[in-house]
Amino acid sequence: MQKAVGNLRAAVLLGVPVSVLLFAGNAALYTAIDLPGWMLHILAVMPLTAGSFAAAYAAGNRQRHSGMFCGIRVSLYLIGIWYAIYCMYRGTLCMPKAVLPVILGGIAGGLLGVHREEPVPRRRMHRLIGCREQLRMVPLLLHRPRNEKKDAE
């Protein structure tokens, strides 16, 4: 349980800055271009979904099992953080509208994080290099030259 809480904390420390950076990019985009109203709602959900994806990917990569549950847990935690900030800003309680895309982004991030291939550690790399050299030598060791005197007779 302690490892799961640590993974959750580390994931949220990644997900919140990703969302903040994308919110800042969206703010610059809003001021530069006059967008229709329906596109503003889509662009408001994208930073939350991307932050949830990044956080769940990090948590799933560290936890290495149950990616869907990990993604849902991290997504709900991030939704809670952003919901609390939004309610403090508005001064009233209101229903968050972008729950489903954020949770789906978290599930996708958790599953991809769990199923990512791990790189081979450097301390074991020398063994693999040695095996490759040995495999190159196998045809030379199995090669038996023909006796030309017997072939000529």
Side-chain angles (χ1 to χ4, degrees):
M1 184 66 182
Q2 185 69 18
K3 184 178 178 184
V5 171
N7 291 341
L8 186 65
R9 189 178 310 127
V12 169
L13 289 177
L14 176 70
V16 171
V18 167
S19 296
V20 168
L21 287 174
L22 289 175
F23 274 129
N26 279 351
L29 185 68
Y30 293 160
T31 58
I33 302 171
D34 186 29
L35 297 172
W38 61 271
M39 192 175 285
L40 295 177
H41 295 293
I42 293 172
L43 290 177
V45 173
M46 287 176 67
L48 295 175
T49 305
S52 176
F53 178 85
Y57 183 84
N61 193 18
R62 290 182 63 163
Q63 194 169 344
R64 304 304 290 173
H65 62 85
S66 63
M68 185 178 290
F69 177 69
C70 179
I72 291 172
R73 186 178 62 216
V74 169
S75 297
L76 290 177
Y77 198 65
L78 281 174
I79 287 172
I81 289 172
W82 287 115
Y83 178 66
I85 292 171
Y86 184 67
C87 288
M88 283 188 265
Y89 176 72
R90 293 217 25 192
T92 60
L93 291 176
C94 53
M95 180 63 188
K97 298 176 184 176
V99 174
L100 185 63
V102 175
I103 290 177
L104 289 177
I107 290 172
L111 289 175
L112 286 175
V114 167
H115 294 296
R116 188 188 76 115
E117 291 183 16
E118 287 198 36
V120 177
R122 286 196 178 272
R123 60 188 156 110
R124 286 193 282 157
M125 187 64 79
H126 70 280
R127 294 182 198 150
L128 294 176
I129 292 171
C131 290
R132 188 172 25 173
E133 293 297 324
Q134 288 175 358
L135 287 175
R136 284 185 193 160
M137 296 298 292
V138 168
L140 296 175
L141 294 173
L142 295 177
H143 177 70
R144 294 190 180 156
R146 288 190 274 170
N147 192 350
E148 293 180 13
K149 291 181 182 177
K150 286 185 180 179
D151 289 341
E153 294 176 0

